């Protein structure tokens, strides 16, 4: 601050001295130039009659005219030049006319040809000095026949100007020395209170609002210090309130499950909350100031926000946005300031799971309705047939009742599996962790399904190594897993097919593989086979072959046992289901 005031004072003094010196030098120079012009003009008009007469008397003896011009030029200490109407020099007091070029282009000569007084100041290439020229026309019979030009060097004026600048430079040095002393004292007196205010401002900017500025004279700086101290107190109170409000806002934004993103009127990101960063795998620091399309790359969201920016009215819409996978968002966009159109805020609620649950509910109702409709239709049809008189034939009656019994068993099995699946899908469902002999459970499952295997003529290969340790789980749950996998292999393998059940020791797990050479599963269907009511269709496979809930049950049971399940399949060549269960320890 002190340096700036000192420098400003010195610059002001220097500029003032420079302007004054330049003005004085310019005024003196202009005065002498004007005086010289007037003197030349007077001389020109004084000698013009004499030279006009000489020209008229000695038209054929130019040598005598040149002599007269030289003598006259010496007497009046002035260069005299006579130029004809074509620009040719016919006489010159200081140079041989034959050595001079045409003067028709000289500005003063051109002006004299027009009947005016021509004046010019320029460097003379012939005399090697700066000259002042004044030219007037010489008339014959009222017509311009010649031009008389007088010229004198102005070196004395330039010398005078240089002397003035020397004097000015000396005076400036003395003035600057005085200004230096005055500026030093003045700047110290002025800057001391200001420096104290500046120091206090720095401390306040660092959060120290308790610092006070001393009240020092003069009166103006004392008023400044008092105002600054009051401002610091008010600022401390305002900052405290702002911090409190900011903390509240940050807490609200951080606790929001919904994503929030704010843009300015040009659709550039100005803020986002943590939920947005988490949902879209982005960081606020890397996205601030970027266009919305650069950040989220979703045209539909961009158009929705643009619509709100243009209409200044809130809007909501359901939009699909690709994050690390496709997600569905319910987005509500409102303008930040309807009057000034400062931008817009979009609140994005992820409803992907809700939509999935709605679809699952819809699919579940549809599938259950479909599964129950078929047996109920059969039961209803056969019951009507019996009522119509078919009961009178014992053979027909037994046949219809067997079918009704099969369809009733099918519905009972479906309902039981639904209830079982519902129970194991509950969050609080847990399976007791006990040692289970996996080979024993496989043998039990084979015995239960042996009749089905024999009916279809399958060749069953069991690869059960000895001395296997137990797996962790519950025998009923493990049995349910193996029965479902083996039952599927039987159903989806044509008669006379091969089925292999193999147990392997894999470090911390024991795996059970059920492989068949049945109809196989298409690659695009592999992700869906563990869903409810999904059934593979193929030759010899009917809708009555199962409920479509078996693999869904298997998947939930395996996950409850902290195990893993995988499948490999080729259409027309067979499938291999592999379940890995943790060893008991």
């Amino acid at each position: 601050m002190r340096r700036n005031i000192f420098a400003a004072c010195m610059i002001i003094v220097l500029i003032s001295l420079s302007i004054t010196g330049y003005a004085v030098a310019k005024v003196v120079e202009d005065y002498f130039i004007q005086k010289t012009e007037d003197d030349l003009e007077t001389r020109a008009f004084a000698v013009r009659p004499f030279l006009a007469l000489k020209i008229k008397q000695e038209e054929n003896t130019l040598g005598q005219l040149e002599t007269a011009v030289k003598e006259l030029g010496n007497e009046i200490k002035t260069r005299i030049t006579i130029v004809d109407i074509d620009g040719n020099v016919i006489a010159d007091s200081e140079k041989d006319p034959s050595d001079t070029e045409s003067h028709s282009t000289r500005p003063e000569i051109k002006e004299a040809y027009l009947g005016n007084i021509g004046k010019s100041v320029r460097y003379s290439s012939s005399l090697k000095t700066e000259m002042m020229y004044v030219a007037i026309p010489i008339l014959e019979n009222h017509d311009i026949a010649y031009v008389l030009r007088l010229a004198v060097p102005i070196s004395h004026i330039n010398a005078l100007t240089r002397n003035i600048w020397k004097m000015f430079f000396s005076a400036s040095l003395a003035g600057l020395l005085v200004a230096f002393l005055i500026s030093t004292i003045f700047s110290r007196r002025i800057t001391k209170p200001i420096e104290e205010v500046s120091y206090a401002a720095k401390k306040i900017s660092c959060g120290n609002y308790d610092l006070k500025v001393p009240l020092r004279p003069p009166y103006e700086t004392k008023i400044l210090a008092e105002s600054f101290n009051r401002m610091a107190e008010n600022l401390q109170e305002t900052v405290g309130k702002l911090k409190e409000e900011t903390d509240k806002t940050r807490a609200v934004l951080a606790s929001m499950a919904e994503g929030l993103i704010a843009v300015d009127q040009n659709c550039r990101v100005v803020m986002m909350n943590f939920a947005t960063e988490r949902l879209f795998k982005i960081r606020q620091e890397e996205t601030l100031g970027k266009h919305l399309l650069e950040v989220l790359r979703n045209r539909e969201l961009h158009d929705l926000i643009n619509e709100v920016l243009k209409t200044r009215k809130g809007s909501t819409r359901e939009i699909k946005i690709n994050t690390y996978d496709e997600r569905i968002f319910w987005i509500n966009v409102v303008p930040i300031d309807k009057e000034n159109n400062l931008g817009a805020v979009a609140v994005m609620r992820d409803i992907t799971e809700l939509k999935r649950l709605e679809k699952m509910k819809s699919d579940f109702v549809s599938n259950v309705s479909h599964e129950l409709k078929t047996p109920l239709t059969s039961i209803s049809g056969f019951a009507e047939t019996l009522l119509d008189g078919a009961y009178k034939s014992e053979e027909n009656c037994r046949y219809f009742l067997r079918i009704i019994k099969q369809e009733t068993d099918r519905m009972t099995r479906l309902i039981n599996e639904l209830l079982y699946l519902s129970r194991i899908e509950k969050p609080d469902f847990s399976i007791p962790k006990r040692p289970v002999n996996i080979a024993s459970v496989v043998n039990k499952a084979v015995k239960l399904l042996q009749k089905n295997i024999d009916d279809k003529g399958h060749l069953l290969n069991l690869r059960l190594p000895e001395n296997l340790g137990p797996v962790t789980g519950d025998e009923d749950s493990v049995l349910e897993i193996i029965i479902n996998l083996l039952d599927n292999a039987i159903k989806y393998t044509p008669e006379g097919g091969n089925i292999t059940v193999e147990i392997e020791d894999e470090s911390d797990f024991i795996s059970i593989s059920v492989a068949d050479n049945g109809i196989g599963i298409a690659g695009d269907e592999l992700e869906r086979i563990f869903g409810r009511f999904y059934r593979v269709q193929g030759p010899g496979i009917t809708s009555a072959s199962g409920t479509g809930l078996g693999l869904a049950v298997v998947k939930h049971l395996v996950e409850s046992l902290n195990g893993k399940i995988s499948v490999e399949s080729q259409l027309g060549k067979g499938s291999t289901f592999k379940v890995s269960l943790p060893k008991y320890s």
Side-chain angles (χ1 to χ4, degrees):
M1 182 68 178
R2 184 178 300 173
R3 289 182 180 178
N4 292 339
I5 293 177
F6 174 77
C9 292
M10 295 300 293
I11 290 171
I12 290 172
V13 171
L14 183 60
I15 291 174
S16 300
L17 290 173
S18 299
I19 293 173
T20 303
Y22 176 79
V24 170
K26 188 65 176 173
V27 168
V28 172
E29 184 180 11
D30 290 347
Y31 169 76
F32 281 103
I33 287 177
Q34 185 63 44
K35 188 174 182 304
T36 303
E37 283 182 358
D38 295 342
D39 185 51
L40 276 179
E41 189 176 334
T42 301
R43 292 181 193 180
F45 281 108
V47 301
R48 181 172 65 175
F50 170 75
L51 292 176
L53 181 61
K54 279 289 184 181
I55 293 171
K56 188 173 182 181
Q57 291 175 349
E58 302 174 4
E59 286 183 349
N60 297 323
T61 56
L62 292 178
Q64 296 180 7
L65 175 63
E66 186 173 351
T67 301
V69 167
K70 287 183 178 181
E71 290 175 355
L72 183 59
N74 289 332
E75 288 180 9
I76 63 175
K77 306 298 183 185
T78 305
R79 180 184 178 185
I80 301 173
T81 306
I82 299 175
V83 182
D84 63 15
I85 197 66
D86 295 324
N88 299 316
V89 177
I90 62 174
D92 193 300
S93 62
E94 296 186 10
K95 195 171 182 182
D96 189 351
S98 61
D99 294 337
T100 59
E101 68 275 10
S102 174
H103 279 39
S104 60
T105 58
R106 301 291 196 270
E108 68 278 3
I109 301 297
K110 291 168 68 176
E111 189 67 23
Y113 282 155
L114 299 175
N116 303 318
I117 299 174
K119 298 177 182 179
S120 178
V121 176
R122 67 176 183 277
Y123 182 80
S124 172
S125 58
S126 58
L127 298 180
K128 309 299 182 185
T129 186
E130 194 168 13
M131 303 287 288
M132 178 180 287
Y133 299 94
V134 173
I136 60 175
I138 298 176
L139 306 179
E140 285 187 2
N141 299 323
H142 304 291
D143 293 327
I144 298 174
Y146 300 94
V147 171
L148 170 62
R149 186 184 72 175
L150 273 66
V152 292
I154 58 171
S155 55
H156 64 287
I157 298 176
N158 293 336
L160 179 62
T161 303
R162 284 194 295 272
N163 289 333
I164 291 174
W165 276 110
K166 288 179 182 178
M167 293 174 62
F168 162 72
F169 182 72
S170 300
S172 297
L173 287 178
L176 285 173
L177 181 59
V178 174
F180 175 81
L181 297 175
I182 295 174
S183 298
T184 301
I185 297 171
F186 179 75
S187 62
R188 285 179 180 175
R189 182 185 177 118
I190 294 296
T191 58
K192 180 65 175 177
I194 297 176
E195 286 174 351
E196 290 176 344
V197 172
S198 176
Y199 175 78
K202 289 180 181 178
K203 291 297 182 181
I204 287 175
S205 68
C206 296
N208 184 5
Y209 300 103
D210 298 326
L211 186 65
K212 302 297 180 183
V213 178
L215 304 180
R216 300 181 185 276
Y219 176 76
E220 291 78 5
T221 54
K222 186 177 180 181
I223 294 298
L224 174 63
E226 290 177 348
S227 300
F228 186 89
N229 291 337
R230 283 196 302 270
M231 181 197 70
E233 293 173 0
N234 295 335
L235 185 62
Q236 183 176 13
E237 183 179 352
T238 303
V239 169
K241 291 180 180 178
L242 285 175
K243 186 176 183 302
E244 184 179 349
E245 293 299 322
T246 301
D247 291 343
K248 289 179 182 178
T249 303
R250 285 179 178 173
V252 170
L253 292 177
S255 63
M256 285 177 63
E258 296 83 3
L260 182 143
I261 187 166
V263 299
D264 61 16
Q265 63 271 27
N266 298 316
C267 218
R268 295 189 176 277
V269 176
V270 295
M271 188 189 72
M272 64 176 61
N273 67 347
F274 175 73
T276 302
E277 294 180 298
R278 176 177 49 79
L279 284 169
F280 299 104
K281 307 296 183 184
I282 54 179
R283 292 177 59 82
Q284 180 172 256
E285 296 79 7
E286 298 171 357
T287 58
L288 291 181
K290 291 185 178 180
H291 197 275
L292 182 66
L293 281 176
E294 293 182 62
V295 178
L296 296 185
R297 302 184 183 278
N298 185 277
R299 173 61 64 178
E300 194 174 355
L301 174 60
H302 173 263
D303 292 344
L304 175 62
I305 293 179
N306 255 346
E307 177 187 331
V308 172
L309 290 174
K310 289 177 182 177
T311 62
R312 302 188 185 183
K313 294 180 180 178
S315 182
T316 58
R317 193 177 302 170
E318 185 181 299
I319 296 177
K320 290 182 179 179
I321 301 177
N322 283 321
T323 54
Y324 45 92
D325 58 356
E326 187 175 78
R327 313 290 292 177
I328 304 172
F329 292 89
W330 181 254
I331 299 179
N332 182 31
V333 184
V334 295
I336 294 177
D337 188 333
K338 292 183 179 180
E339 299 298 327
N340 300 316
N341 195 21
L342 299 179
V345 175
V347 177
M348 300 173 286
R349 183 184 178 193
D350 188 353
I351 58 172
T352 308
E353 188 64 20
L354 181 61
K355 287 290 183 180
R356 187 184 70 83
L357 292 175
E358 286 179 356
K359 187 175 184 306
M360 286 178 60
K361 180 180 177 182
S362 175
D363 291 345
F364 177 76
V365 173
S366 176
N367 288 327
V368 169
S369 299
H370 176 74
E371 293 294 332
L372 292 176
K373 182 180 179 181
T374 302
L376 285 173
T377 301
S378 298
I379 292 171
S380 176
F382 289 119
E384 288 179 4
T385 303
L386 288 172
L387 290 173
D388 288 340
Y391 68 89
K392 296 177 181 179
S393 170
E394 184 179 351
E395 183 179 351
N396 289 337
C397 183
R398 286 182 176 277
Y399 173 74
F400 292 143
L401 289 174
R402 275 197 300 270
I403 294 176
I404 290 173
K405 177 67 168 60
Q406 289 175 0
E407 296 298 338
T408 302
D409 291 342
R410 180 182 171 189
M411 285 193 297
T412 301
R413 189 167 58 253
L414 173 63
I415 292 170
N416 287 336
E417 288 191 1
L418 281 172
L419 291 173
Y420 183 69
L421 182 61
S422 175
R423 183 171 66 85
I424 66 175
E425 282 183 340
K426 288 182 179 180
D428 58 349
F429 173 77
S430 63
I431 298 175
K433 304 298 190 292
R434 293 190 286 263
V436 177
N437 187 322
I438 189 67
S440 173
V441 174
V442 169
N443 286 323
K444 186 181 292 187
V446 170
K447 288 179 181 179
L448 292 173
L449 296 173
Q450 188 66 53
K451 183 177 184 304
N452 296 346
I453 296 171
D454 295 339
D455 288 345
K456 296 194 70 173
H458 291 322
L459 177 61
L460 179 64
N461 299 308
L462 295 178
R463 298 174 182 174
L464 311 178
E466 297 180 357
N467 302 322
L468 270 178
V471 297
T472 301
D474 171 69
E475 184 172 327
D476 291 340
S477 299
V478 177
L479 180 62
E480 184 73 20
I481 292 170
I482 297 173
I483 286 177
N484 274 293
L485 293 179
L486 188 56
D487 186 50
N488 279 346
I490 296 169
K491 289 176 183 176
Y492 295 104
T493 301
E495 293 184 2
N498 293 322
I499 299 174
T500 300
V501 178
E502 183 176 7
I503 300 177
E504 294 180 289
D505 191 333
E506 295 179 347
S507 184
D508 296 332
F509 291 85
I510 292 178
S511 67
I512 309 99
S513 300
V514 179
D516 62 64
N517 62 346
I519 62 173
I521 306 169
D524 58 348
E525 295 184 359
L526 287 176
E527 294 182 358
R528 295 184 292 158
I529 60 175
F530 293 104
R532 296 179 179 182
F533 299 108
Y534 179 80
R535 287 197 294 265
V536 175
Q537 300 298 322
I541 305 302
T542 66
S543 61
S545 296
T547 61
L549 297 172
L551 288 178
V553 170
V554 168
K555 181 171 181 279
H556 279 87
L557 288 175
V558 170
E559 290 176 349
S560 298
L561 292 169
N562 299 321
K564 298 177 287 186
I565 183 169
S566 61
V567 58
E568 295 179 0
S569 183
Q570 283 186 302
L571 197 61
K573 294 186 177 181
S575 306
T576 300
F577 285 84
K578 182 178 180 180
V579 172
S580 298
L581 298 177
K583 292 180 178 179
Y584 182 80
S585 58

